[in-house]
Amino acid sequence: MQRFKDLSLSLQLPIMAAGCALLVGLCLLWLAATSSAYLQNERERLYGESLAQQVSSTVREALQRGDLLSARASLQRFVDGSLAGGITIRDVEGMAMGTAGIISGPTLTQYSAPIRIGEDIAGEVLVSVDGSSGQESRWRFLFSLLALAAALSLLVFMATRVFAQRLATSLLALDTQLALPGSVVPGLENEIAKIRQSVEVLPLDM
């Protein structure tokens, strides 16, 4: 910390400005990560529930006809043409009547819908939605925001450095006017510290 205080203003001010810009960027990144995770989960939930309802309506017709083979074939078509990693249908006792794909896994989230025939519940549809593609898109979005925050911090650093160098030059000129011959303390880099040192050694009757 002391080393930072001893730096020239041409470095102090840009570093502080860039640090503040980076902090703001990271806060915005955290908000973006939170909101994108919530929106992704909501989209996945709505998609999974809607797909489960759609599968339920499709297999209900086959089960009403007693065509279990057709119901199983419908499951495979849904797996091939959607984001579902796996689909299974169960009877009211929980016994599987048909399964297609992989029903459980680290990137799979399960959603269910009842199979209704008339007023009765004949079973349940269990759909596993693969959210890995959504996760990859979300991480790409967050990494792009992180790169943008870093670029913005660099831009702030460069812009502030131009102003800080002009300020440091002006303060050095003022210090040159105030300093007495032989009173310059070697090793001081900070312009304000130099001016303070020059003022302290001035005679009191000036």
Side-chain angles (χ1 to χ4, degrees), residues 50 63 82 92 112 122 145 187 200:
S50 175
L63 293 178
S82 69
V92 290
S112 62
L145 287 183
E200 288 177 352

Side-chain angles (χ1 to χ4, degrees), residues 43-85:
R43 286 196 301 267
E44 186 178 296
R45 181 184 63 83
L46 291 175
Y47 178 82
E49 292 177 352
S50 175
L51 183 60
Q53 291 287 348
Q54 188 177 356
V55 174
S56 174
S57 300
T58 301
V59 300
R60 179 179 64 234
E61 298 175 2
L63 293 178
Q64 282 179 324
R65 300 191 305 267
D67 190 355
L68 189 56
L69 184 61
S70 177
R72 291 172 178 170
S74 299
L75 301 184
Q76 188 60 51
R77 286 196 297 270
F78 275 107
V79 170
D80 293 338
S82 69
L83 295 178

Side-chain angles (χ1 to χ4, degrees), residues 105-126:
T107 62
L108 298 177
T109 306
Q110 296 182 345
Y111 301 92
S112 62
I115 302 174
R116 297 183 179 275
I117 298 178
E119 297 297 327
D120 300 325
I121 296 178
E124 179 187 41
V125 171
L126 194 63

Side-chain angles (χ1 to χ4, degrees), residues 3 6 175 179-190 193-194 197-198 201:
R3 175 58 182 164
D6 294 337
D175 177 63
L180 295 176
S183 64
V184 177
V185 178
L188 284 179
E189 297 182 17
N190 187 271
K194 288 182 179 181
Q197 180 67 29
S198 298
V201 300

